[in-house]
Amino acid sequence: MVNIKRVYEEPSPEDGRRIFVDRLWPRGVRKQDLPFDDWCKDAAPSTALRTWYGHRTERFEEFSQRYVQELNAEPSHWMNLLGMAQDGPITLLFAARDPDTSHARVLADFLEDALDKQQDPSSSVCYAAQFPH
C-alpha cells in the first residue's frame, strides 16, 4: 500500500515507512522536526517539469503524463520505493498544498500500478517491458 501525506501532518502508525519525495526541503520545517525514514529526491519531478507545472491545476493532466514519462525513463529513481512498498505500507511525504494535484499522488498511483502488474499472475510480460527505460 502506498499512501501520501503532507509533511505538515502528524505521523501515524498506519504510515509504515515514511519517505520524503520532494527535491527541495519544505520551507518552515526543520529537519529534526520531520519524522521520515528516507529522502528520495530523485523520485521527484525534474526541476524543469516542476517549474513548468507551477501547481497550476489546469496543467495537472499534462504534468502527470510528463512525470510518468520521466519515471519510465529512469527506473533507478523509483525502484527502491517499489521494493519498500513490497515489504509493507509506505507513505510518501510532500509539501504541496493540494494532495490531489501533487506529484506525490502521481508517484503513488504509478507505484501502485507497478505493484499490481508485478503481482498479476496472468501477466507473462517481463517487468522491464512494462516500464521501459
Side-chain angles (χ1 to χ4, degrees):
M1 178 178 2
V2 181
N3 303 302
I4 65 170
K5 187 180 267 190
R6 293 187 71 221
V7 295
Y8 309 102
E9 295 177 57
E10 289 296 319
S12 68
E14 296 81 30
D15 288 349
R17 193 168 188 153
R18 295 169 50 89
I19 303 126
F20 183 54
V21 292
D22 280 350
R23 194 169 295 277
L24 305 173
W25 192 258
R27 291 183 183 158
V29 177
R30 296 183 315 179
K31 286 186 180 169
Q32 63 267 31
D33 292 340
L34 178 61
F36 67 100
D37 299 301
D38 292 292
W39 185 1
C40 294
K41 294 179 191 182
D42 290 339
S46 66
T47 300
L49 180 58
R50 181 178 47 81
T51 302
W52 171 84
Y53 175 44
H55 296 284
R56 298 202 296 246
T57 56
E58 68 273 11
R59 291 185 175 181
F60 182 69
E61 188 174 328
E62 186 174 348
F63 164 77
S64 298
Q65 292 169 358
R66 289 182 183 190
Y67 183 33
V68 167
Q69 287 174 347
E70 286 187 356
L71 292 168
N72 280 324
E74 294 291 344
S76 63
H77 291 179
W78 53 267
M79 287 297 283
N80 60 336
L81 292 170
L82 189 63
M84 290 181 220
Q86 289 170 328
D87 292 339
I90 64 171
T91 298
L92 306 178
L93 304 172
F94 64 99
R97 287 189 182 135
D98 184 358
D100 294 330
T101 59
S102 72
H103 77 284
R105 171 78 284 143
V106 177
L107 180 57
D109 291 345
F110 180 87
L111 292 171
E112 287 282 357
D113 187 50
L115 286 169
D116 288 346
K117 287 178 180 174
Q118 276 190 330
Q119 296 170 2
D120 182 1
S122 66
S123 176
S124 61
V125 180
C126 78
Y127 184 75
Q130 295 172 13
F131 297 99
H133 31 312

